[in-house]
């Protein structure tokens, strides 16, 4: 098997709790201690009420594909042998307007569609650990792409 040449995330003090949880196989998102709304990606203050009191809380990782792009040609390191692949903007069930990006794994690119239910799956990046992505809801959980 060829080496995984994809660029690994570079955690910052603000994003470290997110990436630590991902490496444990958990999805946590920043949540305001005052209004209880989730914010993603993490921010220095709540986008809804302005509070600086934030923490991280687990979320299901279940949602709906709101939009997506099929990448047929990439210049991103380590992805050349993986095309085509799908990057999707997924609306999570926990809160209206809560969205995150992720690849949709485990199905051919032409099987992904807007409105499709997806669920969390973790994918391994060599030298980093697991990162959250998605697969069609109801598929047996796996690690990596098919």
């Amino acid at each position: 098997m060829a080496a995984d040449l994809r660029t690994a995330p570079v955690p910052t003090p603000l994003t470290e709790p997110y990436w630590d949880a991902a490496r444990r196989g958990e999805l946590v998102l920043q949540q305001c201690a005052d209004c209880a709304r989730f914010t993603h990606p993490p921010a220095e203050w709540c986008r809804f009420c302005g509070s600086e009191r934030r923490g991280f809380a687990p979320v299901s990782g279940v949602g709906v594909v709101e939009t997506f792009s099929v990448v047929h040609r990439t210049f991103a390191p380590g992805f050349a042998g993986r095309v085509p692949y799908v990057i999707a903007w997924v609306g999570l069930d926990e809160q209206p307007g809560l969205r995150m990006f992720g690849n949709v794994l485990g199905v051919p690119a032409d099987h992904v569609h807007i409105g499709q239910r997806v669920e969390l799956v973790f994918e391994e990046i060599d030298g980093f650990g697991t990162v959250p992505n998605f697969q069609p809801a109801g598929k047996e959980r796996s690690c990596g792409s098919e």
Side-chain angles (χ1 to χ4, degrees):
M1 175 151 75
D4 188 346
L5 301 175
R6 290 177 291 165
T7 303
V10 179
T12 67
L14 189 60
T15 64
E16 189 66 47
Y18 174 83
W19 293 116
D20 283 346
R23 287 188 286 263
R24 293 190 309 269
E26 300 174 44
L27 180 61
V28 300
L29 298 182
Q30 192 178 56
Q31 187 176 35
C32 179
D34 291 325
C35 74
R37 302 277 312 257
F38 287 98
T39 299
H40 188 74
E44 294 291 336
W45 58 86
C46 177
R47 293 180 176 109
F48 302 98
C49 73
S51 174
E52 293 181 5
R53 293 179 355 109
R54 313 156 325 285
F56 283 80
V59 295
S60 68
V62 175
V64 174
V65 173
E66 293 186 355
T67 190
F68 67 95
S69 182
V70 178
V71 179
H72 293 278
R73 183 175 177 206
T74 181
F75 298 98
F79 281 87
R82 300 167 55 94
V83 293
Y85 66 89
V86 176
I87 181 77
W89 190 233
V90 174
L92 298 177
D93 288 352
E94 276 74 16
Q95 158 187 311
L98 179 61
R99 298 174 181 94
M100 66 182 286
F101 278 109
N103 293 329
V104 179
L105 307 175
V107 294
D110 62 353
H111 284 71
V112 177
H113 58 87
I114 292 174
Q116 182 173 22
R117 296 288 297 166
V118 292
E119 63 189 6
L120 178 68
V121 64
F122 286 94
E123 183 179 22
E124 183 80 22
I125 293 183
D126 290 348
F128 180 78
T130 55
V131 296
N133 279 305
F134 297 95
Q135 66 184 10
K139 279 188 64 90
E140 184 177 317
R141 290 189 186 264
S142 61
C143 191
S145 59
E146 297 176 334

